[in-house]
């Protein structure tokens, strides 16, 4: 057995393992559609390797070489479909089909040229190079934020593309690809080419597998941090994300403000209309918060009817306006399944982060401000930690009482 044949035999085993691994991912999480495509690719890889071994058995090798080429080109194109599914890019089906047909015809026609013809070898290798470069482009066009693993995958795909372009020159440098197809596997070029193919195929597969496993673990973490009823972060998830936001803001020298809100008279809602109606109120308020917040804001349900939202890059004045707007808009919001003339309200406490403070201390101050709002009749906003001068000014223009204060006398 030649060196190239030995590497092919190893590739046959590896392709089977990779196909099984991707299929296991697809079975574990049916939403990973891309894993099915990758499993199909490496499953077809077994067939492709089988055709490599059968080439010496044919007297006229033109047709079997074209089939072998078409099989590997189909694998690279189907891998691009899998990448498109993972990175939410529309697969160019018609273009891929036309490219596949034209490339296969060109390879069949050029098989009549001399074995060491640069045109014949470039016609054979260039479609693979183009397919791998398209795969890299698909990754880089992703609609989601890319990580270093995604950039690494794009880089390996581009490197693989370059090695396919270089193979004709490599073949000429090491004495050609065999006097005819029957002796290809005995050539030095075949051993080098198969070894390069193995390195790139394994690198691409392992990177894709790491990315898919990262996606699955990310989904598991997200589920563990998400409140099922509201769809917002639960308390643990909110505190973790809020702490990270505080660290980022501190590093960048940005202000951070926390708004805590509580649905007013929530027990009476459950008592009067039932727990299902109470759940609808929670869902409506959660949806309202989600739609009102900006993309960098962090919202969570931190208790039964208590909610919190972190506003990075926001000073107290803007956060208070946000809370006032939310309070006013929610009080006018009808709730499906409940009386049209029945309106529901919420109270709000607002606190701005001070130097040296952590998320626990910030939440305690905002919660104290919320308590003041509850004491002052509910359906209002109270703020924590501002100066006496600011108290007098804000109270006079908006009748908003700061935490610990009283309305000024007339």
């Amino acid at each position: 057995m030649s060196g190239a044949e030995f590497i092919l035999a190893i590739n046959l085993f590896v392709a089977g393992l990779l196909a099984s691994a991707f299929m296991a991912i697809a079975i574990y999480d049916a939403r990973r559609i891309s894993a099915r495509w990758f499993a199909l690719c490496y499953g077809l890889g077994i067939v492709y390797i089988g055709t490599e071994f059968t080439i010496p058995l044919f007297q006229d090798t033109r047709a079997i070489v074209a089939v072998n080429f078409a099989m590997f080109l189909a694998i690279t194109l189907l891998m691009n479909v899998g990448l498109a599914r993972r990175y939410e890019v529309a697969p160019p089906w018609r273009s891929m089909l036309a490219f596949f047909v034209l490339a296969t015809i060109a390879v069949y026609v050029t098989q009549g040229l001399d074995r060491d013809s640069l045109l014949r070898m470039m016609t054979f290798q260039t479609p693979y190079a183009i397919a791998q470069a398209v795969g890299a482009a698909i990754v880089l066009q992703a609609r989601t934020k890319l990580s270093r693993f995604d950039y690494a995958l794009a880089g390996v795909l581009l490197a693989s593309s370059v090695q396919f372009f270089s193979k004709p020159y490599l073949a000429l440098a090491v004495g050609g690809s065999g006097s005819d197809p029957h002796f290809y596997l005995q050539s030095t070029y075949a051993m080098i080419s198969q070894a390069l193919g193995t390195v790139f195929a394994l690198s691409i597969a392992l990177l894709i597998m790491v990315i898919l496993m990262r996606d699955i673990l990310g989904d598991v973490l997200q589920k563990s941090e998400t409140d099922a009823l509201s769809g917002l972060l639960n308390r643990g998830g909110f505190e973790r994300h809020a702490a990270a936001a505080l660290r980022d803001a501190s590093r960048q020298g940005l202000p951070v403000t926390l708004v805590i809100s509580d649905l007013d008279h929530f027990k009476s809602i459950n008592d009067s209309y039932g727990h299902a109606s109470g759940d609808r109120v929670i869902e409506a308020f959660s949806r309202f918060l989600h739609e009102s917040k900006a993309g960098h804001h962090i919202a969570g349900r931190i208790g039964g009817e208590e909610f919190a939202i972190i506003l990075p890059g926001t000073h107290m004045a803007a956060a208070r306006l946000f809370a006032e707007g939310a309070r006013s808009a929610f009080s006018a919001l009808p709730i499906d399944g409940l009386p049209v003339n029945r309106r529901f309200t919420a109270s709000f406490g607002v606190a701005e982060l001070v130097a040296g403070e952590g998320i626990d201390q910030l939440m305690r101050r905002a919660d104290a401000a919320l308590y003041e709002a509850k004491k002052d009749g509910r359906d209002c906003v109270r703020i924590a930690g501002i100066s006496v001068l600011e108290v007098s000014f804000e109270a006079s223009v908006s009748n908003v009482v700061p935490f610990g204060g009283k309305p000024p006398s007339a």
Side-chain angles (χ1 to χ4, degrees):
M1 178 181 286
S2 67
E5 288 173 325
F6 179 70
I7 294 172
L8 270 179
I10 293 175
N11 288 348
L12 191 69
F13 178 70
V14 170
L17 285 178
L18 293 174
S20 301
F22 281 117
M23 185 54 66
I25 293 174
I27 292 172
Y28 173 78
D29 189 345
R31 294 173 302 167
R32 306 292 159 194
I33 305 297
S34 59
R36 303 179 195 176
W37 288 98
F38 297 135
L40 175 61
C41 289
Y42 286 97
L44 289 175
I46 298 172
V47 180
Y48 161 74
I49 294 169
T51 62
E52 286 269 14
F53 280 116
T54 63
I55 289 175
L57 303 178
F58 289 81
Q59 187 66 32
D60 183 357
T61 59
R62 177 178 287 193
I64 188 63
V65 168
V67 168
N68 180 258
F69 164 85
M71 182 68 67
F72 191 73
L73 183 59
I75 290 169
T76 58
L77 293 176
L78 290 175
M79 177 168 287
N80 287 349
V81 175
L83 291 171
R85 296 301 186 195
R86 163 60 185 79
Y87 291 99
E88 300 178 10
V89 177
W93 290 106
R94 293 183 180 179
S95 300
M96 287 194 302
L97 180 60
F99 177 70
F100 174 79
V101 172
L102 291 174
T104 302
I105 292 172
V107 165
Y108 180 81
V109 171
T110 56
Q111 285 307 299
L113 299 176
D114 184 76
R115 287 283 294 172
D116 292 331
S117 164
L118 185 60
L119 175 61
R120 185 195 70 80
M121 289 187 287
M122 288 300 291
T123 302
F124 196 93
Q125 299 293 343
T126 300
Y128 298 152
I130 293 172
Q132 296 277 259
V134 169
I138 287 172
V139 174
L140 296 175
Q141 290 175 13
R143 296 179 183 176
T144 54
K145 183 179 179 181
L146 298 178
S147 71
R148 63 179 182 273
F149 292 112
D150 302 308
Y151 284 114
L153 175 59
V156 172
L157 287 166
L158 285 174
S160 178
S161 174
V162 171
Q163 64 100 17
F164 279 119
F165 271 126
S166 68
K167 277 188 175 182
Y169 303 101
L170 174 64
L172 295 176
V174 297
S177 57
S179 56
D180 65 56
H182 298 94
F183 299 105
Y184 163 72
L185 290 177
Q186 279 69 49
S187 66
T188 301
Y189 166 73
M191 184 176 67
I192 297 173
S193 177
Q194 293 299 328
L196 283 173
T198 300
V199 169
F200 280 105
L202 274 175
S203 299
I204 291 169
L206 292 176
L207 277 170
I208 291 174
M209 204 167 293
V210 167
I211 290 167
L212 291 179
M213 293 306 298
R214 180 203 60 190
D215 292 346
I216 291 173
L217 291 175
D219 283 353
V220 170
L221 178 61
Q222 183 181 21
K223 285 181 180 179
S224 72
E225 294 183 340
T226 302
D227 175 65
L229 178 60
S230 67
L232 303 176
L233 292 168
N234 57 28
R235 188 178 187 98
F238 175 80
E239 290 180 351
R240 188 179 77 84
H241 286 272
L246 264 59
R247 288 194 297 271
D248 291 342
S250 176
R251 187 168 57 249
Q252 299 172 39
L254 297 174
V256 178
T257 309
L258 171 65
V259 177
I260 289 183
S261 60
D262 190 274
L263 297 174
D264 296 330
H265 305 294
F266 187 74
K267 184 177 184 301
S268 68
I269 298 172
N270 285 332
D271 293 342
S272 301
Y273 303 104
H275 289 280
S277 295
D279 287 349
R280 282 198 293 274
V281 175
I282 288 176
E283 289 171 344
F285 188 71
S286 302
R287 186 166 55 251
F288 172 76
L289 274 186
H290 180 74
E291 292 171 354
S292 301
K293 73 182 182 69
H296 63 289
H297 294 167
I298 300 164
R301 181 187 178 199
I302 59 174
E305 62 271 13
E306 192 172 5
F307 300 81
I309 180 166
I310 282 281
L311 309 175
T314 306
H315 287 289
M316 172 68 81
R320 193 196 109 213
L321 288 175
F322 172 88
E324 284 286 5
R327 181 198 62 78
S328 177
F330 179 69
S331 66
L333 185 71
I335 308 295
D336 291 341
L338 291 169
V340 176
N341 61 345
R342 179 69 160 90
R343 290 296 183 265
F344 303 91
T345 63
S347 302
F348 294 79
V350 186
E352 184 174 351
L353 183 71
V354 297
E357 195 172 40
I359 184 60
D360 292 338
Q361 296 91 336
L362 180 62
M363 289 184 72
R364 277 198 293 271
R365 289 198 300 114
D367 203 48
L370 173 64
Y371 178 72
E372 290 296 314
K374 290 287 188 179
K375 280 201 327 180
D376 290 342
R378 297 180 171 85
D379 190 23
C380 60
V381 177
R382 295 295 177 261
I383 53 181
I386 69 173
S387 70
V388 175
L389 180 62
E390 289 171 320
V391 168
S392 301
F393 174 75
E394 291 190 2
S396 65
V397 298
S398 65
N399 199 32
V400 176
V401 182
F403 164 52
K406 296 294 182 182
S409 58

